[in-house]
Amino acid sequence: LHRLFAHNFPTATIIAKDAPHPTCRWWVPMMSLPYVFRTTPDTIPSADRPYLTALPSPPVRTAGFHVGYVSAGNPLFMADHDRSAPPDAFQPLLDLANTTHGIYFHDLSEAADKRRGFKDMADTAALVQHLELIITVDTAMFHLAAAMGKLTWMIPMTSPTWFCGLNVSDRTAWYGPWHRLYRRQRVDAWPEVMQRIATDLAALVVRKTVRVTF
């Protein structure tokens, strides 16, 4: 994240985790800031605009509707059984590339990024900025794409992380109207949620004729 954050927050000192830390009066984990600021659901700062931008990247023109996806996260995560999709869960979605004209899928997993030769999250963000839609399970990709203001659809865990809330809303207050949550009622309810996403995606592609920079 170092290069991406240094680009977006030039007045802050960004320190990599392996670098020496300077002397400071206060230290606080990022996820504890809402507690420090006494944030409540009614006082969450407005999320009506993105707060991350990608570094410039060379454009390659290609027509079509380009969708990035992440189907699984780190298998060492203690709740990964609830977070990562089974290997074939995303296949009904990927099959749309064969049945819906002009739709292209791009694997945004860490392994795929390594195959592309990406060095860090800034390289990933440079790719994400040229996609029309991101579909992901609850991983860092959700936060990256939503912070960039990219149309983002995310599948939360059935025991959701705190920023998703415990209600049935398809939004979280932490990001703008360009994101949507597709909740499951059961851990194994992947076929049902993927069918909803596939239906919505097919309808979205039909409504939009786009030309993207990629």
Side-chain angles (χ1 to χ4, degrees):
L1 289 171
H2 188 281
R3 192 160 58 102
L4 181 65
F5 279 11
H7 169 69
N8 280 274
F9 309 111
T11 61
T13 301
I14 311 297
I15 303 167
K17 65 178 181 179
D18 297 327
H21 288 195
T23 301
C24 55
R25 290 191 62 188
W26 298 99
W27 181 92
V28 60
M30 182 176 65
M31 293 299 188
S32 294
L33 286 173
Y35 169 76
V36 174
F37 293 138
R38 300 183 181 180
T39 304
T40 70
D42 295 329
T43 63
I44 294 174
S46 174
D48 58 352
R49 63 183 185 271
Y51 63 87
L52 283 183
T53 59
L55 278 71
S57 59
V60 178
R61 298 284 179 179
T62 179
F65 193 93
H66 292 263
V67 181
Y69 73 96
V70 178
S71 61
N74 187 341
L76 299 180
F77 176 56
M78 62 181 179
D80 192 60
H81 69 284
D82 189 6
R83 187 260 301 273
S84 291
D88 59 347
F90 269 61
Q91 196 56 50
L93 194 65
L94 301 179
D95 287 343
L96 288 177
N98 300 321
T99 60
T100 304
H101 179 70
I103 187 170
Y104 301 93
F105 287 96
H106 304 269
D107 184 356
L108 299 178
S109 65
E110 184 176 352
D113 280 354
K114 287 181 178 179
R115 291 194 296 270
R116 295 185 182 101
F118 286 1
K119 301 183 297 294
D120 55 19
M121 193 70 83
D123 286 336
T124 304
L127 171 58
V128 167
Q129 73 174 332
H130 298 308
L131 304 178
E132 293 300 307
L133 168 67
I134 306 299
I135 302 173
T136 180
V137 296
D138 187 356
T139 69
M141 179 53 62
F142 167 64
H143 298 284
L144 175 66
M148 293 173 62
K150 185 63 58 177
L151 182 61
T152 307
W153 296 352
M154 194 268 274
I155 308 165
M157 295 186 291
T158 56
S159 297
T161 39
W162 59 269
F163 56 82
C164 292
L166 295 174
N167 56 31
V168 296
S169 171
D170 65 352
R171 295 284 192 275
T172 168
W174 296 97
Y175 294 110
W178 51 83
H179 82 285
R180 182 185 302 175
L181 304 180
Y182 284 82
R183 298 180 186 267
R184 291 168 293 148
Q185 297 302 312
R186 306 182 317 278
V187 172
D188 62 352
W190 289 101
E192 185 274 334
V193 73
M194 295 312 299
Q195 183 57 55
R196 280 193 284 132
I197 293 175
T199 299
D200 289 350
L201 176 57
L204 178 64
V205 174
V206 167
R207 290 198 307 269
K208 289 191 175 184
T209 301
V210 298
R211 188 168 188 83
V212 298
T213 302
F214 184 72

